[in-house]
C-alpha cells in the first residue's frame, strides 16, 4: 500500500466501493450484494465473492482455487455464508438494536472500521484490513495513513 497517491483516481471513492456489490442477472435485472467488500474468509483471509444460490444472495471463498483445474486433495473446503444470515447476525455482533436497517448496520461497520469474518462454523467481526494497516503504520512510527 502506498503512503501517498500515485495518480489521480479515475473514479470517486463512493463509486469504487459501490461497484463490487452490483451484478446483472440473465434477465437484465440488477442484483446487489449489500455486504460486498465487507465479508472476509477466516480460513485464508481473502475477501469473499458475492454469488447467488437458488435466488439467495451469499458470499463464498474458494481459497484461490477455481474450477479450471483439479483441486488439491488437502485444499480447505469452500466457505459459504448467506447474506440474509449475516444481516440477521449483525445486530448481535455489533451489540445494537435489532431494528436497524441493513444500510444502518453497514454504516456502523464502516464507522467502527470493522469487517465480517466467516469460517465454516463461526461469524465474527474484526478491524478491517485498512484499519489494521493504519494501526501497523502508527505503531511503527511512520504516521497514520491518510484515506481521505
Amino acid at each position: 500500500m502506498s503512503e501517498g497517491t500515485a495518480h489521480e483516481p479515475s473514479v470517486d471513492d463512493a463509486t469504487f466501493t459501490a461497484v463490487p456489490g452490483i451484478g446483472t442477472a440473465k434477465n437484465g435485472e440488477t442484483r446487489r450484494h449489500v455486504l460486498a467488500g465487507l465479508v472476509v474468509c477466516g480460513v485464508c483471509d481473502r475477501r469473499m465473492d458475492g454469488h447467488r444460490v437458488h435466488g439467495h444472495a451469499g458470499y463464498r471463498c474458494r481459497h484461490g482455487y477455481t474450477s479450471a483445474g483439479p483441486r488439491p486433495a488437502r485444499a480447505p473446503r469452500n466457505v459459504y455464508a448467506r447474506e440474509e444470515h449475516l444481516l440477521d447476525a449483525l445486530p448481535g455482533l455489533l451489540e445494537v438494536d435489532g431494528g436497524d436497517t441493513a444500510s444502518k448496520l453497514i454504516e456502523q461497520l464502516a464507522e467502527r472500521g470493522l469487517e465480517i469474518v466467516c469460517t465454516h462454523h463461526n461469524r465474527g467481526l474484526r478491524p478491517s484490513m485498512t484499519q489494521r494497516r493504519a494501526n501497523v503504520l502508527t505503531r511503527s512510527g511512520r504516521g497514520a495513513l491518510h484515506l481521505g
Side-chain angles (χ1 to χ4, degrees):
M1 178 185 277
S2 301
E3 288 186 38
T5 303
H7 56 81
E8 285 299 313
S10 55
V11 296
D12 59 73
D13 288 341
T15 303
F16 180 78
T17 56
V19 169
I22 300 173
T24 305
K26 291 177 185 174
N27 64 4
E29 166 189 321
T30 300
R31 294 183 172 166
R32 295 189 147 269
H33 287 84
V34 298
L35 298 172
L38 298 172
V39 185
V40 178
C41 177
V43 175
C44 70
D45 217 27
R46 286 182 167 86
R47 295 246 174 254
M48 293 177 69
D49 301 319
H51 73 117
R52 295 188 82 78
V53 175
H54 303 293
H56 294 280
Y59 301 87
R60 71 175 172 198
C61 184
R62 295 184 286 177
H63 315 298
Y65 299 104
T66 66
S67 57
R71 191 178 182 117
R74 294 184 183 201
R77 292 184 351 246
N78 292 350
V79 174
Y80 295 97
R82 273 182 48 178
E83 187 171 79
E84 63 196 73
H85 295 168
L86 294 175
L87 289 170
D88 288 345
L90 268 179
L93 294 171
L94 287 167
E95 299 176 354
V96 297
D97 179 30
D100 285 343
T101 63
S103 59
K104 284 289 246 182
L105 294 169
I106 293 165
E107 196 176 286
Q108 289 187 37
L109 284 172
E111 286 173 2
R112 298 181 191 189
L114 299 172
E115 61 192 9
I116 304 164
V117 182
C118 298
T119 64
H120 295 105
H121 304 290
N122 295 311
R123 309 288 183 254
L125 299 176
R126 72 175 185 196
S128 68
M129 181 62 77
T130 304
Q131 188 67 41
R132 292 194 314 261
R133 285 182 179 153
N135 290 343
V136 167
L137 288 175
T138 301
R139 281 194 304 258
S140 69
R142 294 184 2 193
L145 180 64
H146 177 67
L147 300 174

